[in-house]
Amino acid sequence: MPIFTPTEITDNYAKASIAKATSPAWRIFLLAVAAGLFIGLGAVASSTAAHALEDAGMVRLVSGLIFPVGLMMVVLLGTELFTGNALMVTAAVSGKITWKLLLRNWGLVFLGNFVGAVALAALMAFFGQLNIGGGDLAVYTAKVAASKNSLPWANAFVLAIFCNLLVCIAVYMANTAHDTAGKIWAIFFPIMGFVLCGFEHCVANMYYIPAGIFAYLNPAYTGLIDAAGINVAALNFGDFFFANLIPVTLGNIVGGVVVGLVMYACHGTKEK
C-alpha cells in the first residue's frame, strides 16, 4: 500500500489548515466540543480498565493500550483538537493563513475541547460511572487528579512538551496512510508511548482533573476518597488552572510547534 511522503504530508496539512482556520466559528467550536468528548472517553475507558490494578507499571501499560482510541476518533472523524492544531503553525509560517486566523482557531478549539471534556467529567462523576468497584473508580479518579494538580510547574511544562511531540508525530504518521487501518496503527504506538511515560496532555487533563474534583464533591464518594489518604487539598479548580492547565497547555504548544516547524523546514515546499 503506497503512503504519502513527508513532503506530501507537510504540504497537505498546511493546505488543510486553510479550511480549519477559515471555517465558521460555530463549526470549529462544535467540532472541538466533539474532540474534547472523544479524548475524555478515551480517558474514561483507560481509567475504568486500570483502576483496580496495583502495579504502577501495569496501570500505565493498560491505560496506554486503551487511551489511543480517543485520538483515533478525533482524526478519523475530522474533529478539532487543540494539541494537534499546534501543527497549523506550518500554514502560518508559509503564509497560507494569517497569525490572527491561527490564534482564532486555537482559542475556539481550546474552549470547545474544555466544554466537551469537562461536561463529560461531570456526567461521569454525578451519574454513576464512578460507582464501578463499589466506588473504587471514583477513588482512583480523585487520586489521578490530585497527583496531576500536585506536579511542580516546571515538571508539568516539560512533560507536556514531550507529550505533544508524540501526539503531533502520531497525527503526522496517521496522515501517511491512505486507509483506516493504517491511520489507526500510526496513531496507536506514539499515543500509547506518551501515556506509558506519564506525559501531560492539556485536553486529557480537562477530563482527568475535573472528574477527580467532581468525584470528591459527590457525597457518594467523599468519604471513600478521604479514607484513601489522597491529598484532597489539591482537588480544586484553582490548582487545576494555575498549577496544571496553564503549564501543560504552554508545554503542549511548544512541543507541537517544534514538530511542525521541523517538518516544514525539512520537508515543506517553499513557495516563492
Side-chain angles (χ1 to χ4, degrees), residues 13-60:
Y13 194 90
K15 292 173 183 175
S17 295
I18 299 172
K20 292 167 72 71
T22 57
S23 288
W26 66 266
R27 182 176 184 274
I28 296 172
F29 179 77
L30 286 181
L31 290 173
V33 171
L37 179 68
F38 294 160
I39 294 297
L41 287 171
V44 171
S46 62
S47 292
T48 303
H51 80 278
L53 299 173
E54 297 293 335
D55 182 77
M58 286 302 299
V59 168
R60 290 192 177 191

Side-chain angles (χ1 to χ4, degrees), residues 54-220:
E54 297 293 335
D55 182 77
M58 286 302 299
V59 168
R60 290 192 177 191
L61 177 60
V62 171
S63 297
L65 291 173
I66 297 172
F67 183 83
V69 69
L71 189 62
M72 292 173 191
M73 291 188 286
V74 167
V75 170
L76 294 174
L77 296 179
T79 58
E80 295 281 337
L81 182 66
F82 177 78
T83 47
N85 282 12
L87 293 171
M88 290 174 63
V89 71
T90 59
V93 169
S94 62
K96 291 181 173 63
I97 64 172
T98 64
W99 290 98
K100 181 178 179 180
L101 282 173
L102 174 66
L103 294 177
R104 169 182 177 267
N105 177 275
W106 283 1
L108 287 169
V109 171
F110 189 87
L111 179 60
N113 289 168
F114 185 88
V115 169
V118 174
L120 178 67
L123 293 171
M124 294 299 100
F126 292 112
F127 291 90
Q129 169 65 17
L130 304 187
N131 288 342
I132 292 173
D136 286 348
L137 180 54
V139 174
Y140 175 82
T141 302
K143 179 181 178 181
V144 170
S147 175
K148 288 179 174 292
N149 271 357
S150 300
L151 284 171
W153 206 95
N155 291 25
F157 176 75
V158 172
L159 292 174
I161 292 174
F162 287 99
C163 170
N164 215 28
L165 285 173
L166 288 172
V167 170
C168 289
I169 287 169
V171 171
Y172 257 104
M173 288 171 57
N175 284 329
T176 67
H178 291 255
D179 63 315
T180 300
K183 291 180 181 294
I184 287 173
W185 282 112
I187 291 167
F188 178 77
F189 289 102
I191 303 305
M192 180 188 71
F194 107 62
V195 176
L196 189 62
C197 293
F199 296 151
E200 293 290 311
H201 186 271
C202 66
V203 181
N205 287 358
M206 291 173 187
Y207 169 79
Y208 280 123
I209 298 175
I213 295 171
F214 292 144
Y216 189 61
L217 293 176
N218 186 338

